[in-house]
């Protein structure tokens, strides 16, 4: 909780109340210099102040009420007016009905206007925010919602069937206030030629409160909805905002056309880009902190016939910290991966199209093997996630630092493991292979449809087959499939032709007890039937037979046949096993892996 201007500092208030000493505050302030934590959190971590004393003082500082959850009875009927997911997201719990029909809500951040707006919309009444210690709120959330569906509580069947609601309505009101800023007249003066709009006037509007809030809410909502990308797209008569959630784009809302120029300029200001230049593509980066976590947004703008389009990729470090074992590998594949990543030398390639999770897999491997005894160096374009203990290098083509040049110098840095962001050309692949042949474990990515095609792709690039056979130890092809929502999935019988197309015979005696599931849609999954994603994998380990085929320049089909004989599980087979386990459904399998059966 940040201190607002004009308020007494929380540390001074705690001293005045006798909760801490001057020396303890000085010690905490010194610790804060090397930390992103707030001073109150540091004081608690050091054991200088009790949680309740801190939050009672914070309530006084913020001029909000404090609720003692140990002595207050929470009305479960009121609490269940929101879902567990929403309560956890905002660390907020409806406690009871107050005077004049309001609902008292215990919150970790009672001054969070975005959370309050969303809660008012969901509860359909005025909210009376009360401060409470987050540990107490979390305990009660787990207790009250135990045994209840996360998506239940207070929603009728009709509401559950309604279109996905992303709580963006208040942006429309903010957009209306932009109309009075003068930007509308500027666009009307310019006509269809956006390049003629007064840049100074656009910049002034981009620095005004409504546009700042629109940009902030758009980003924060995307993080709350677990989106991977935000699309801000100019239309003929408006601005469309879309989120990519679980790999699928969802239209969130449309804003008036006059919001477009200042909103794009605001995002470019946040990303340290040139707001005066709208004729060429630009790249930038935004770092934000939300709900106690750090996020990086990789920002890209391109000029279109209707104005600039902006796409922001949300880089959430929590995804790569979930662990290699949680990506979706079967127990058999996981055992093989554990063996591979402990090899002293060789090359492991992750393959698949853009957005298939290759980077997450590679970083998860690095996290797994990162220890004090291992020197790990990476060359990436760009460096997406910062990992402690690993030397990461960013490609800089203007300065002459390419993948190939960096790799040459890496070999002088006494590395044990080298990660090459992507193998794009013959020079890079040959140097990476040489590194793998001279006692280094090399990780990299390649764009191919399946694991056996890795070999033919490298040969097509000009790599000698004997070098591939000598260096590559495994190829991991992957896709990302949406997981079924646990709160609304139900058994169903897929069409027989779909099952047969995936190699599953529903009439076979051994398949009589197999049950398939699909999601029906609920509040937890925004009525999509899916929540989260899981990896679909195909792991090809190169044995002696496959190496001999590579040297003979065998086709991808011949390599695949040998790999299947060696026990390789295909993408389709791995996906089907996840559908049989109720993790995903047949429609999702056909969407993400049907082209590589």
């Amino acid at each position: 909780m940040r201190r607002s201007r004009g308020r007494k500092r929380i540390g001074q208030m705690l001293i005045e109340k006798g909760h801490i000493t001057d020396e303890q505050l000085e010690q905490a302030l010194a610790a804060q210099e090397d930390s992103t934590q707030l001073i109150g959190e540091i004081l608690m971590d050091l054991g200088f102040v009790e949680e309740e004393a801190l939050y009672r003082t914070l309530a006084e500082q913020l001029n909000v009420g404090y609720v003692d959850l140990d002595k207050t009875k929470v009305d479960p009927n009121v609490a269940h007016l929101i879902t567990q997911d929403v309560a956890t997201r905002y660390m907020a719990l409806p406690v009871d009905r107050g005077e004049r029909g309001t609902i008292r809500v215990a919150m970790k951040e009672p001054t969070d206007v975005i959370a309050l707006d969303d809660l008012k919309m969901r509860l359909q009444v005025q909210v009376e925010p009360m401060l409470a210690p987050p540990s107490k709120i979390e305990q009660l959330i787990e207790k009250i919602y135990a045994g209840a569906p996360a998506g239940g509580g207070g929603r009728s069947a009709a509401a559950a069937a309604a279109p996905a609601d992303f709580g963006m309505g208040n942006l429309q009101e903010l957009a209306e206030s932009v109309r009075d800023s003068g930007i509308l007249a500027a666009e009307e003066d310019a006509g269809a030629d956006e390049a003629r709009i007064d840049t100074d006037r656009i910049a002034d509007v981009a620095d005004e409160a409504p546009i700042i809030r629109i940009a902030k809410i758009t980003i924060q909502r995307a993080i709350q909805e677990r989106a991977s990308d935000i699309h801000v797209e100019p239309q003929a008569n408006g601005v469309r905002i879309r989120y990519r959630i679980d790999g699928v784009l969802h239209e969130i809302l449309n804003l008036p056309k006059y919001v477009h120029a200042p909103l794009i300029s605001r995002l470019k200001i946040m990303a340290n880009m040139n707001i005066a230049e709208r004729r060429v593509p630009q790249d930038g980066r935004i770092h934000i902190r939300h709900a106690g976590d750090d996020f990086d947004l990789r920002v890209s703008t391109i000029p279109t016939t209707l104005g600039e389009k902006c796409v922001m990729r949300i880089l959430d470090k929590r995804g790569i910290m979930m662990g290699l074992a949680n990506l979706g590998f079967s127990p058999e594949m996981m055992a093989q991966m554990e063996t591979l990543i402990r090899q002293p030398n060789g090359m492991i390639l992750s393959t698949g199209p853009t957005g298939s999770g290759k980077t997450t897999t590679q970083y998860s491997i690095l996290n797994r093997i990162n220890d004090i005894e291992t020197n790990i160096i990476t060359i990436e374009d760009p460096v997406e996630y910062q990992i402690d203990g690993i030397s990461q290098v960013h490609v800089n083509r203007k300065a002459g630092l390419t993948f190939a040049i960096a790799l040459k110098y890496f070999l002088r840095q006494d590395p044990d493991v080298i990660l090459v962001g992507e193998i794009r050309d013959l020079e890079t692949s040959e140097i990476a292979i040489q590194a793998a042949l001279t006692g280094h474990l090399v990780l990299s990515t390649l764009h191919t449809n399946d694991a056996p095609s890795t070999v033919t792709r490298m040969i097509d690039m000009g790599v000698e087959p004997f070098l591939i056979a000598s260096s590559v130890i495994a190829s991991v092809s992957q896709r990302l499939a949406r997981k079924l929502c646990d709160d609304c999935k139900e058994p169903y019988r897929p069409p027989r032709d779909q099952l047969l197309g995936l190699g599953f015979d529903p009439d076979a005696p051994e398949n009589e007890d197999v049950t398939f599931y699909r999601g029906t849609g609920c509040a937890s999954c925004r009525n999509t039937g899916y929540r989260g994603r899981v990896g679909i994998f195909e792991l090809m380990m190169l044995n002696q037979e496959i190496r001999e085929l590579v040297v003979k320049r065998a086709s991808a089909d011949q390599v695949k046949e040998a790999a299947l004989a060696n026990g390789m599980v295909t993408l389709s087979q791995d996906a089907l096993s996840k559908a049989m386990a109720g993790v995903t459904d047949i429609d999702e399998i056909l969407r993400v892996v049907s082209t590589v059966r």
Side-chain angles (χ1 to χ4, degrees):
M1 226 169 280
R2 302 289 178 189
R3 181 180 61 86
S4 299
R5 291 180 185 144
R7 291 196 182 118
K8 187 179 291 186
R9 293 178 181 272
I10 187 65
Q12 187 61 40
M13 292 180 69
L14 290 169
I15 291 174
E16 292 174 358
K17 292 178 177 295
H19 294 307
I20 62 172
T21 64
D22 290 317
E23 292 76 16
Q24 288 173 331
L25 178 59
E26 290 178 7
Q27 187 176 337
L29 289 171
Q32 191 182 36
E33 293 180 1
D34 300 318
S35 171
T36 58
Q37 286 184 291
L38 301 180
I39 191 66
E41 296 170 345
I42 293 175
L43 286 166
M44 280 200 305
D45 289 345
L46 292 173
F48 293 158
V49 64
E50 295 294 327
E51 184 180 48
E52 183 177 353
L54 171 65
Y55 278 85
R56 282 188 181 276
T57 308
L58 277 171
E60 182 179 333
Q61 183 204 37
L62 297 171
N63 195 29
V64 298
Y66 177 85
V67 56
D68 187 344
L69 294 178
D70 288 331
K71 299 178 181 178
T72 302
K73 184 177 180 180
V74 177
D75 185 341
N77 292 324
V78 173
H80 280 84
L81 290 173
I82 64 173
T83 66
Q84 182 177 359
D85 180 56
V86 173
T88 303
R89 181 192 310 165
Y90 296 127
M91 198 51 64
L93 183 69
V95 176
D96 53 28
R97 295 189 182 275
E99 299 178 0
R100 299 179 300 278
T102 63
I103 290 181
R104 297 200 309 160
V105 181
M107 302 181 67
K108 175 187 177 183
E109 295 279 357
T111 58
D112 184 343
V113 293
I114 296 174
L116 289 171
D117 285 347
D118 196 10
L119 290 170
K120 288 176 186 176
M121 180 195 66
R122 294 174 186 275
L123 295 170
Q124 296 296 303
V125 296
Q126 285 297 314
V127 170
E128 184 181 350
M130 309 285 288
L131 184 65
S135 65
K136 303 293 185 183
I137 299 174
E138 189 172 9
Q139 290 172 9
L140 276 174
I141 288 175
E142 293 179 0
K143 178 181 178 181
I144 288 174
Y145 292 99
R155 290 184 63 92
S156 64
D165 173 18
F166 289 88
M168 304 288 283
N170 52 347
L171 289 191
Q172 297 287 1
E173 298 176 7
L174 288 170
E176 287 298 320
S177 63
V178 179
R179 180 188 292 270
D180 303 324
S181 64
I183 190 64
L184 182 60
E187 288 216 347
E188 288 175 343
D189 291 343
D193 185 3
E194 188 183 12
R196 290 170 49 202
I197 298 176
D198 187 340
T199 302
D200 291 336
R201 190 181 299 183
I202 297 267
D204 289 341
V205 178
D207 281 332
E208 293 181 0
I211 285 294
I212 291 174
R213 286 200 65 199
I214 288 173
K216 181 179 178 181
I217 292 172
T218 299
I219 293 172
Q220 289 183 336
R221 287 284 184 227
I223 293 172
Q224 290 165 3
E225 299 298 337
R226 303 173 296 104
S228 60
D229 300 87
I230 306 169
H231 291 241
V232 181
E233 304 165 313
Q235 306 291 298
N237 299 308
V239 186
R240 180 172 67 178
I241 296 179
R242 293 192 290 174
Y243 292 165
R244 187 176 295 278
I245 302 173
D246 295 335
V248 177
L249 280 170
H250 298 264
E251 183 170 328
I252 307 306
L253 81 164
N254 278 279
L255 295 173
K257 181 68 174 178
Y258 53 79
V259 174
H260 173 251
L263 177 57
I264 293 293
S265 293
R266 182 66 211 168
L267 296 172
K268 290 168 76 172
I269 289 170
M270 295 171 69
N272 293 315
M273 296 157 69
N274 183 0
I275 65 170
E277 180 56 78
R278 296 193 292 273
R279 298 165 297 176
V280 297
Q282 294 189 61
D283 291 314
R285 208 172 181 105
I286 298 172
H287 176 80
I288 66 170
R289 186 170 177 82
H290 176 69
D293 292 308
D294 292 310
F295 297 86
D296 280 323
L297 279 70
R298 200 170 66 200
V299 185
S300 171
T301 63
I302 59 169
T304 74
T305 56
L306 296 174
E308 283 185 289
K309 174 182 177 179
C310 178
V311 175
M312 293 173 278
R313 167 66 57 87
I314 300 173
L315 304 175
D316 183 359
K317 193 173 181 178
R318 294 174 301 180
I320 65 166
M321 301 302 290
M322 64 188 296
L324 190 63
N326 297 316
L327 298 183
F329 286 106
S330 66
E332 295 78 14
M333 280 194 200
M334 190 62 212
Q336 292 174 320
M337 287 296 297
E338 289 284 6
T339 300
L340 289 168
I341 64 178
R342 300 298 176 183
Q343 296 302 305
N345 60 277
M347 182 183 293
I348 302 173
L349 295 168
S350 291
T351 71
T354 300
S356 59
K358 301 187 298 295
T359 300
T360 298
T361 299
Q362 296 275 302
Y363 273 103
S364 296
I365 292 173
L366 292 184
N367 271 324
R368 187 75 165 207
I369 60 179
N370 184 19
D371 57 41
I372 196 68
E373 298 177 351
T374 306
N375 180 21
I376 303 175
I377 309 179
T378 77
I379 175 68
E380 305 167 66
D381 184 21
V383 174
E384 294 193 0
Y385 303 98
Q386 299 277 349
I387 303 179
D388 292 337
I390 294 179
S391 302
Q392 297 172 267
V393 178
H394 179 81
V395 166
N396 188 342
R397 291 183 177 82
K398 291 182 179 179
L401 182 61
T402 63
F403 282 112
I405 296 297
L407 274 173
K408 291 179 181 178
Y409 286 95
F410 280 7
L411 298 179
R412 304 174 187 174
Q413 291 287 317
D414 186 31
D416 298 299
V417 179
I418 299 173
L419 181 141
V420 183
E422 183 181 352
I423 291 182
R424 300 178 179 177
D425 52 48
L426 176 60
E427 184 181 14
T428 302
S429 61
E430 287 184 335
I431 298 173
I433 285 172
Q434 289 301 322
L437 292 174
T438 54
H440 308 90
L441 181 64
V442 178
L443 308 175
S444 192
T445 66
L446 199 65
H447 286 272
T448 66
N449 282 334
D450 58 8
S453 298
T454 302
V455 173
T456 53
R457 175 76 181 97
M458 295 183 75
I459 292 175
D460 290 342
M461 290 172 63
V463 182
E464 290 294 336
F466 75 90
L467 290 176
I468 301 172
S470 302
S471 59
V472 178
I473 59 176
S475 174
V476 185
S477 185
Q478 65 182 86
R479 301 289 189 275
L480 288 175
R482 289 180 293 175
K483 296 170 63 177
L484 291 175
C485 174
D486 289 331
D487 295 328
C488 66
K489 70 179 181 182
E490 63 178 18
Y492 87 115
R493 188 175 184 82
R496 188 170 184 276
D497 59 335
Q498 287 186 352
L499 294 175
L500 291 174
L502 290 168
F504 181 89
D505 183 0
D507 300 323
E510 64 272 18
N511 295 330
E512 289 180 357
D513 296 330
V514 175
T515 301
F516 292 94
Y517 294 84
R518 65 179 173 188
T520 59
C522 66
S524 293
C525 60
R526 299 292 186 187
N527 300 305
T528 63
Y530 302 97
R531 182 171 175 81
R533 289 192 288 178
V534 65
I536 307 295
F537 296 97
E538 177 178 278
L539 173 58
M540 182 183 76
M541 301 178 68
L542 274 69
N543 61 3
Q544 187 59 36
E545 180 185 0
I546 295 176
R547 296 184 193 281
E548 291 175 359
L549 288 172
V550 172
V551 173
K552 295 177 182 177
R553 296 178 181 267
S555 67
D557 288 339
Q558 290 174 303
V559 173
K560 182 176 182 178
E561 186 178 339
L564 289 172
N566 190 44
M568 182 186 78
V569 176
T570 66
L571 285 166
S572 293
Q573 291 170 340
D574 189 46
L576 183 60
S577 68
K578 288 180 169 64
M580 293 167 65
V583 176
T584 187
D585 62 13
I586 297 299
D587 288 339
E588 188 66 3
I589 292 175
L590 295 174
R591 185 181 73 87
V592 299
V593 303
S594 61
T595 59
V596 291
R597 289 200 302 271

